[in-house]
Amino acid sequence: MMSSVLIGYAPLYPAIPAANIPAPQPGEYGIVNLYYKQSSSNLWFGTQMGRIFYTNNAGLTWSVGNVGAATNTVIEIAFTTPNNGIAYVVNAAQQFDVYNTTNGGATWSIISPAPANVGRNDIVGVPGTNQFVSFGA
């Protein structure tokens, strides 16, 4: 039988100073495994309150963009370049909506109606293009 003893603990990444990341809304949280990374500098993650946090300097500072209403839940994020992105959300009426950004996530616009042939299970950006590939029913 093997056993181990935890002697010490050091965080893998240092805590982000509060001044470097926008404050969450009351009750807001990042959704587990809902993020998109591009290169070593750009990262986005979504929340259940219709917001996407983003960094373009490997997490040293963060900003946040609203993806429609605060009642939207972000369910997928994908980017083809640091500026060109797509987000899937489920709105308060439990309907599926698609949003896009052309400025890295600072602002988002709904694509209405949502494309009929979009797969709702996953989406990825095709590097070096402005194309996205989606999967699912």
Side-chain angles (χ1 to χ4, degrees):
M1 182 166 124
M2 300 194 65
S3 63
S4 61
V5 176
L6 181 62
I7 296 175
Y9 170 76
L12 185 56
Y13 298 102
I16 300 167
N20 292 3
I21 188 166
Q25 301 296 322
E28 183 179 34
Y29 54 84
I31 299 173
V32 173
N33 208 25
L34 176 61
Y35 68 92
Y36 200 83
K37 178 185 172 291
Q38 188 177 71
S39 73
S40 61
S41 298
N42 299 293
L43 179 73
W44 300 263
F45 70 87
T47 78
Q48 93 292 4
M49 290 187 155
R51 300 200 316 161
I52 293 180
F53 287 76
Y54 61 95
T55 180
N56 60 12
N57 59 13
L60 295 175
T61 59
W62 291 83
S63 298
V64 66
N66 294 312
V67 188
T71 54
N72 286 348
T73 297
V74 181
I75 59 172
E76 290 289 340
I77 304 167
F79 278 76
T80 59
T81 68
N83 288 321
N84 185 36
I86 294 282
Y88 292 174
V89 305
V90 173
N91 64 31
Q94 297 301 304
Q95 296 173 328
F96 174 80
D97 289 325
V98 179
Y99 285 78
N100 76 307
T101 183
T102 58
N103 57 15
T107 60
W108 294 84
S109 301
I110 193 165
I111 300 172
S112 183
N117 62 347
V118 69
R120 297 179 180 198
N121 292 350
D122 199 7
I123 187 167
V124 296
V126 178
T129 74
N130 281 327
Q131 301 295 309
F132 295 89
V133 177
S134 61
F135 305 90

